[in-house]
Amino acid sequence: MKKFAALMIALILALSCFAVAEEESYTIGIAQFAEHGSLDNCREGFLAGLAEEGIVEGENLTVEYQNAQADTSMATTIASNFVANGYDLICAIATPIAVLLGWCYGLLLNKVKGEEMMIATYVGFSSVAFMCIMWLV
């Protein structure tokens, strides 16, 4: 019986080496404060940079784009929804949207006080996002 179990484990391990890796797909949210040529260029450049790295909209990338039309109450709603939806990445274009997303993220961190493992997870994801932003700059 032990030999049979060892043989089955070895067979499973051998077959797992040949498993085909599935291509990752990403969902990102792009929040823009207003229509403006330079802000539109930021969005287009961001998507072009992702495409250069093989992350192409429609293939392995889903983009949720929302524009606040320079309305701060709409920007607050967009920021809250983006944080609640748990996108892989949120791109905030223009200072008001970035401030609101930071505020919503702070609220999220305050909700998990006392749960150190959860806070460590959020801080870890935040540091990775920060490093990605610094790499782009």
Side-chain angles (χ1 to χ4, degrees), residues 11-137:
L11 181 64
I12 290 170
L13 288 174
L15 290 176
S16 68
C17 292
F18 297 105
V20 177
E22 197 175 300
E23 187 175 315
E24 268 189 271
S25 65
Y26 304 96
T27 304
I28 64 170
I30 299 178
Q32 188 170 322
F33 186 67
E35 288 288 330
H36 189 275
S38 63
L39 300 178
D40 294 339
N41 286 339
C42 289
R43 183 185 72 247
E44 292 164 7
F46 175 72
L47 292 172
L50 290 174
E52 286 177 9
E53 297 298 321
I55 302 172
V56 180
E57 186 176 4
E59 292 178 17
N60 57 354
L61 176 65
T62 304
V63 177
E64 172 73 26
Y65 168 71
Q66 293 193 13
N67 191 316
Q69 301 298 332
D71 181 7
T72 52
S73 63
M74 184 183 283
T76 304
T77 304
I78 291 170
S80 298
N81 289 339
F82 274 17
V83 170
N85 288 338
Y87 291 116
D88 296 316
L89 176 71
I90 298 173
C91 176
I93 301 175
T95 304
I97 289 283
V99 168
L100 289 169
L101 280 168
W103 178 71
C104 290
Y105 190 69
L107 290 177
L108 181 66
L109 285 176
N110 285 335
K111 286 184 181 182
V112 296
K113 277 186 180 173
E115 298 177 22
E116 286 75 18
M117 291 301 291
M118 186 62 73
I119 292 172
T121 301
Y122 285 120
V123 169
F125 285 131
S126 298
S127 63
V128 169
F130 177 73
M131 287 185 284
C132 290
I133 291 169
M134 290 298 108
W135 179 73
L136 292 173
V137 173

Side-chain angles (χ1 to χ4, degrees), residues 1-12:
M1 187 66 186
K2 289 182 181 179
K3 288 183 181 179
F4 179 72
L7 180 62
M8 291 305 292
I9 291 172
L11 181 64
I12 290 170

